[in-house]
Amino acid sequence: MDNNGEKTTTIIHTLRDALLHFAVKSKKLASPLLEPFGRATEPTTVNDDELMALKSKLRRIRATLRDAESLSVTDCSVQLWLAELGDLENRAEDVVEELEYESRRSAQLEELKQDLLYAATTRKQRREVALLFAPPPARRLRRKIDDVWARYEEIASDRKTLRLRPGDGGCAPRPAASPLVPSSVLPRTERLHGRHGDVERVAALVLGDPDGGTSYAVVPIVGMAGVGKTALMQHVCGMETVKSCFELTRWVWVSQDFDVVSVTRKIVEAITRSRPECGELSTLHELIVEHLAGKRCLIVLDDVWDDNPSHWNSLTAPLSHCAPGSAVAVTTRSNKVARMVSTKVYHLKCLSDEDCWLVCQRRALPNSGANVHKELVEIGERIAKKCHGLPLAAEAAGSVLSTSAVWEHWNEVLNNDLWADNEVKNLVLPVLKVSYDHLSMPLKRSFAFCSLFPKGFVFDKDLLVQLWTAQGFVDAEGDCSLEAIANGYFNDLVSRCFFHPSPSHALSEGKFVMHDLYQELAQFVSGNECRMIQLPNSTKIDESSRHLSLVDEESDSVEEINLSWFCGHRDLRTFMFIARTEQNPEEMTFRTKIPSELITGFECLRALDLSNSNIMELPKSIGSLIHLRFLGLDNTAIQMLPESICALLHLQTIKLNHCSSLTQLPQGIKLLLNLRCLEIPHSGIKMPSGIGELTRLQRLPFFAIENEPAGCTIADLNELVNLEGHLHITGLNNLDGAQASIANLWNKPRIKSLTLEWSGVTNFSKSLCDPQGNAVSCISDSQHPAISATADQVLNCLKPHSNLEELSIKGYNGSFSRSWLGWLPLDRLASIELKDCRNCKEVPPLGCLPSLKHILIQSLPSVKLIGPEFFGNAGDTTSNIRSRICNVFPALKSLKFSNMEAWEEWLGVKSEHFPNLKYFSIVRCSKLKLLPKFTSEPKLKIRIR
């Protein structure tokens, strides 16, 4: 038996022993929980040590299965057996989680239960609370454990029936033939449509000066599979201007199996035109130096996959002996490879629709010339648009069209799913799947999950990261957070051209798209694991499906979709409703019924996303989904969340963006200690006390400070040290300086964007005093000096970390000058907005901020003069910052003023100020008499009224 066969046998035996031990152990461990639940004063628990041992056993099963996934098992029966064991692993994981949950639920939820019983005013309400926190029937847990055991026995029996002996189903003795066709320097076609500009630019790079201290230039060409990298480089090598500049041009097809010695042998063979007899790397290097020394050479390394820098350095070591002006061109699908070999990367983009049609036409009608029937051209152009600029797809579409050059056939191809055609799949998918095969197992699972989304969908990076984390696709690595690791997964897929930034969104928005063919690949590799159903059509799904999405193709449909026919799929882990376009709940006519029994039936659900549906109420039965990690309700008409949601102790993400009807959060939300993301719809929502106990929170866009005993206080914010991204704090009018200092913003380095908002009416729980110590009676008057002084103290005590990049201050009634000095330095601040600061008589000294690019000053009605203080020259500020900056507003690109009714003069602008200003806007500043002159000559927008 070979080594691979022995490894497979070891995996099979390990799985068998581990699952047998798991079944026995889980039955023993669950026995206290399977007793009839009575009125015991002490909660029923299990032994923590035994529970940890069981979880350790589950990790061993999972690790063994991951090893099996990495093997190339050829026996179909063993492939099926391993797949069934993977399914059994999921069920075993559910059992462990439920055991853990039931052992802790009573103690963790007892406080909430007592609070709700105290608040209940009727017998019916108290009965509902009692039922809400009642443990599930013992038979459910018993059934799950018995199912795991019975399923294991069935799988073991099947193995005996199939006569699968130890060693059966071993790995293939040699890898399957690659779907990639080796390339050479000779192009397949004489004409390269739509690439004239690319050919010229790459040729210029090949003939250009080297970088990085080497004697030769390295030109990486990167792009997705099938975009034409190889064809482009073939035509560059064929240009007379290129051939005449090199004494030697050699082409080496590297491909997937990268080994330094074997690739070096290929280079030697290409240079010497003979197969080298030696296998020592040192000797091979000497042969390369012997033949290339002093010559100006062009070496093309086509289809490079390996991104190990040491491998690259070893491979290219002999090339330093080439004559100056030599070049190495590299084609690759990986941005990581491209950045490894050079800092100057050439990204090859997709073709235009017109050029795509020319590629398609060349294959569909090879001998037609210009005499093509107009009707065929019109259909062909529409088919070519489906290729989204990918030459490989255009050639495949042309092959399908070439079978019959008649209108009926072409129209049929147009109206059907082009990528469902077997011929297209056979031509395209194997080439794309090579990219998938190179992914690690976590990336494979993450990519396959994307098959739940329709073609043309705009992916939100953060949403995918949250879903991947919820499903357990992310492998923990040291102290890194799961979100950071999942972000790395996504960036890796972007680097390998699986995703591309959405052209209709700014890069900072984190929106990405996937080519239709990659979407088709995701559906192919996911098999029955993931299933997407396009509504309003209803299709019976396979019970083996674990992840399900419903895509609303007709957003204006008035048909009522009854989801009750999904009930019974107890092993489902994802249930998502996906709308093509986001709508306001008030405008939606699409009606979706969410039966209560549907929620209860999804016992194993990890992710539930009902965003963009018009659901108005979640059933209380959602509290039974104890495995739930992700709950998406964005852009819905939801009015409240049931308290039962607070029993979902594994919940990591709650998304409530654009839920304008929601007014408050459940009182018991503080129990969700695993919560990492709480995205709430607006700053006016009532937040209960205890939010500070959610110390794992990373995303909390809004934080509303309440002035009520049961409301959220600034002390809650103190404990949330892991917050990142954007934070909008409202209700600052309810604070004094001492309270504001408790927020501890300076100790939250991952907050990049901060909004501080005061409302028009101040309402303190204790009396305010003016600077002389006299009590203030009318604290609602925003003009009172004590109010201004307090606001000044609050702002000064809310100093953020120096990593802050965006700042917005709204409704502030203090003075900027003294508070602002306490905030410096903010060397990374790139954007600032000052809005509705009614009492502020001067603007803060912003000119001293070296990274500031955008300023918006709006509705400061008390400002009459902007003078030198704006540039950072007020008081002793100059002496502090003069050594740190070379000029005023060195990076500013955009400056906007709006609604400055009292502004009359702007003084102190000098020629060296605003050196990079591109856009200047001044709107409704009717009293301003004179504008300064800018040496940078920005684009102006001036509207007096």
Side-chain angles (χ1 to χ4, degrees), residues 713-773:
T713 68
I714 195 67
D716 287 308
L717 189 58
N718 177 50
E719 302 298 326
L720 305 180
V721 295
N722 293 314
L723 290 183
E724 60 185 40
H726 177 244
L727 175 63
H728 184 162
I729 307 176
T730 67
L732 293 175
N733 47 289
N734 293 319
L735 301 181
D736 58 23
Q739 293 169 327
S741 63
I742 300 176
N744 200 16
L745 290 185
W746 61 271
N747 196 31
K748 296 176 174 55
R750 289 182 285 185
I751 293 178
K752 303 301 181 183
S753 176
L754 177 65
T755 298
L756 303 175
E757 184 174 4
W758 286 254
S759 65
V761 178
T762 302
N763 183 20
F764 288 99
S765 58
K766 61 180 182 179
S767 299
L768 284 178
C769 296
D770 61 20
Q772 286 73 39

Side-chain angles (χ1 to χ4, degrees), residues 7-8 10-11 14-15 60-73 82 171 441:
K7 187 173 183 181
T8 306
T10 301
I11 288 175
T14 302
L15 281 171
R60 183 180 178 188
I61 295 172
R62 185 178 294 114
T64 307
L65 277 171
R66 298 299 173 263
D67 287 341
E69 288 175 344
S70 65
L71 297 177
S72 177
V73 179
L82 289 173
C171 295
M441 286 313 304

Side-chain angles (χ1 to χ4, degrees), residues 104-217:
R104 289 164 172 77
R105 68 187 304 276
S106 179
Q108 289 188 243
L109 299 180
E110 187 63 26
E111 180 182 349
L112 175 61
K113 179 180 178 181
Q114 295 304 319
D115 290 345
L116 294 179
L117 285 173
Y118 178 79
T121 57
T122 66
R123 180 178 298 178
K124 179 181 178 182
Q125 289 176 333
R126 287 191 290 271
R127 185 166 59 251
E128 288 179 350
V129 172
L131 289 174
L132 181 63
F133 292 96
R139 60 179 178 273
R140 191 178 81 172
L141 187 55
R142 186 192 304 276
R143 174 179 55 79
K144 286 191 175 184
I145 295 175
D146 288 343
D147 283 350
V148 171
W149 176 246
R151 187 69 185 126
Y152 168 74
E153 290 284 3
E154 182 182 348
I155 294 173
S157 175
D158 286 346
R159 183 169 175 78
K160 294 176 182 177
T161 302
L162 292 170
R163 298 181 181 179
L164 298 176
R165 301 177 302 277
D168 288 349
C171 295
R174 57 181 179 274
S178 171
L180 302 179
V181 179
S183 66
S184 75
V185 73
L186 299 178
R188 291 187 301 155
T189 59
E190 296 181 2
R191 182 81 181 272
L192 196 61
H193 295 288
R195 294 298 190 197
H196 177 74
D198 293 303
V199 170
E200 294 292 336
R201 286 187 287 271
V202 171
L205 291 173
V206 168
L207 299 174
D209 297 327
D211 63 327
T214 61
S215 60
Y216 56 92

